[in-house]
Amino acid sequence: MLRNLCQKMFGRSLWVYHANSGGCNGCDIEVLNVLTPYYDVERFGIKLVGSPRHADVMLCQGPAMRSTAKALQRAYEAMPAPKLVFAIGSCACGGGIWFDSYSVLGPVEKLVPVNFYIPGCPPRPEAIIYGVAVAVGLVDKKVAPVTFKQLEMPIPRYHPADLRGSGELIVYEKAEKV
Amino acid sequence: MSLLSKLQETLVCLKAGRVTLPYPAQAGPVPETFRGRPIFDAARCIGCAGCASNCPAREILVVDVCQEIRILQYLGRRCTYCGRCADVCPEKAITMSREFETATDRIGDIRQRLELFMSTCQRCGRCFTEPSPLEQLKLKGYRFDDVQNERWIFRSQAYLTSEAAVDDISIDLD
Ligand code: SF4
Ligand code: SF4
Ligand code: SF4
């Protein structure tokens, strides 16, 4: 019974490894903030470990960089099999605002497969906790793609032959929809 | 000695009380000045692409698929929530929301896409949508539209020529 209870309580306990592949440290500070008593993620069983060999989750900060690409891939390979990668911050999600710099290869998903994205520069500690909560199934994700399509031209099309002069105004009269 | 320091530590902890925020269960207030992700208002956007040329992350893409349709795509991947797009927008079509719970397993979830009908300027042949700054200025020689009565109105006599001002007017939408 105790074993079942333990599995229920700690089955989703994630040990995280924190990899910065060249970010500005903003995201690192926010991740540290998440580990402080204010946001205390140890109540979800999340624990920071120093080696990728002990980790279930890699938290990636910073874009895929030319200089750290090999190291990041090796850290990913060193993690034991059921592994997740979180991309934290706009650098890791999309390359950051220096995405077109010579040393930046792009988002980290160019090097390692990414499972969850937490955009923001840096994301708030709450946003990081929210991302983790989405990953372990505590809450549902809130975002969905938005598409706006204008279906009808608001005014009829212009044909020069239908212009009517009236004083100083010239009016296009034909109210025919496209 | 170490026991004493432990006792001291306990005392400090007891004095501080519980400080952990009950975050995912119960969201706290977001600071007034916090900028979350930008939200595009399609009804106000005139398709000027000012936001796209001001975005430091080049995160807003503008594509003219044909003369009359302009597609504005906000991808959101490397958006730094800097608010420059909202600052520069002449129609205040972008608001910086205070929304931060954007974590997702598919990066396409934070995309916003607007498809806008554009008119063609009779002078230069380039695009602008109907209620444009040009219309607001009511410049002589430019076209402005009476949307309620569904008609074009011109201020200038220069358009009463026999031939069309531009030839691409007969492009079909489909
Ligand atoms: S996302 Fe922003 S805060 Fe995070 S590492 Fe990149 S530049 Fe720094
Ligand atoms: S908030 Fe800044 S980075 Fe994001 S779309 Fe607007 S201008 Fe670009
Ligand atoms: S700056 Fe404003 S009006 Fe111009 S394209 Fe961007 S959202 Fe639309």
Side-chain angles (χ1 to χ4, degrees):
Chain A
M1 201 194 96
L2 193 66
R3 196 189 157 135
N4 276 349
L5 194 70
C6 275
Q7 240 167 20
K8 206 171 165 196
M9 300 301 282
F10 302 115
R12 283 168 175 171
S13 160
L14 302 173
W15 282 20
V16 299
Y17 170 69
H18 168 190
N20 185 338
S21 57
C24 76
N25 253 193
C27 289
D28 306 57
I29 299 294
E30 297 300 330
V31 167
L32 285 188
N33 207 348
V34 163
L35 298 164
T36 59
Y38 272 102
Y39 296 103
D40 196 14
V41 284
E42 285 197 22
R43 65 204 152 112
F44 308 121
I46 294 164
K47 193 167 170 288
L48 191 71
V49 292
S51 161
R53 288 179 212 285
H54 299 157
D56 305 310
V57 174
M58 183 152 79
L59 306 177
C60 284
Q61 278 111 57
M65 305 273 290
R66 194 175 287 219
S67 51
T68 51
K70 281 269 154 53
L72 191 69
Q73 272 171 334
R74 274 181 53 207
Y76 179 74
E77 276 154 24
M79 274 162 60
K83 48 191 168 186
L84 291 175
V85 176
F86 281 41
I88 294 182
S90 62
C91 282
C93 289
I97 46 173
W98 299 284
F99 67 100
D100 51 359
S101 159
Y102 70 96
S103 58
V104 176
L105 300 176
V108 283
E109 68 188 7
K110 284 203 169 173
L111 299 176
V112 294
V114 175
N115 302 91
F116 285 93
Y117 300 86
I118 304 172
C121 182
R124 306 187 74 207
E126 275 102 334
I128 298 174
I129 297 178
Y130 186 82
V132 174
V134 167
V136 301
L138 287 175
V139 287
D140 294 325
K141 64 176 180 185
K142 283 190 186 167
V143 283
V146 176
T147 301
F148 166 83
K149 245 187 206 159
Q150 220 170 340
L151 289 178
E152 214 174 301
M153 194 81 163
I155 35 181
R157 211 102 159 261
Y158 159 72
H159 296 287
D162 297 319
L163 292 174
R164 301 276 172 275
S166 58
E168 85 162 33
L169 287 184
I170 294 111
V171 176
Y172 175 69
E173 286 289 4
K174 209 168 178 181
E176 170 207 309
K177 292 275 178 190
V178 180
Chain B
M1 195 60 203
S2 87
L3 189 68
L4 209 65
S5 76
K6 286 277 179 249
L7 276 175
Q8 220 169 18
E9 203 182 310
T10 317
L11 214 69
V12 167
C13 288
L14 281 177
K15 217 164 117 190
R18 176 148 36 142
V19 292
T20 307
L21 306 172
Y23 170 62
Q26 183 196 329
V30 182
E32 269 312 307
T33 49
F34 177 73
R35 286 193 307 266
R37 70 170 179 151
I39 303 286
F40 286 73
D41 182 357
R44 295 167 100 174
C45 175
I46 59 166
C48 68
C51 50
S53 54
N54 254 279
C55 175
R58 293 283 171 270
E59 200 46 338
I60 304 167
L61 308 179
V62 177
V63 188
D64 287 340
V65 285
C66 66
Q67 184 76 36
E68 272 109 354
I69 297 177
R70 171 165 284 180
I71 295 178
L72 202 84
Q73 271 215 72
Y74 162 76
L75 301 173
R77 307 189 51 147
R78 48 175 183 259
C79 175
T80 57
Y81 305 154
C82 65
R84 274 175 71 169
C85 50
D87 260 5
V88 81
C89 179
E91 298 291 306
K92 300 278 163 278
I94 304 174
T95 39
M96 301 305 290
S97 70
R98 290 205 261 144
E99 191 180 307
F100 61 88
E101 290 167 335
T102 48
T104 172
D105 52 349
R106 281 179 47 240
I107 192 71
D109 280 351
I110 41 183
R111 194 200 61 191
Q112 291 175 58
R113 181 186 160 101
L114 316 182
E115 286 182 20
L116 306 163
F117 276 129
M118 309 292 287
S119 301
T120 310
C121 170
Q122 299 303 304
R123 281 281 165 90
C124 63
R126 280 194 236 116
C127 283
F128 62 91
T129 45
E130 289 81 17
S132 69
L134 297 175
E135 184 224 5
Q136 290 157 5
L137 291 168
K138 294 201 168 47
L139 285 172
K140 193 172 163 65
Y142 283 97
R143 186 183 70 199
F144 64 102
D145 307 318
D146 185 357
V147 180
Q148 268 81 38
N149 297 319
E150 298 192 328
R151 60 184 192 175
W152 306 120
I153 301 175
F154 299 89
R155 279 277 187 200
S156 163
Q157 302 283 324
Y159 291 96
L160 277 184
T161 49
S162 51
E163 72 270 14
V166 282
D167 341 308
D168 53 10
I169 263 161
S170 58
I171 288 176
D172 273 324
L173 279 176
D174 44 12

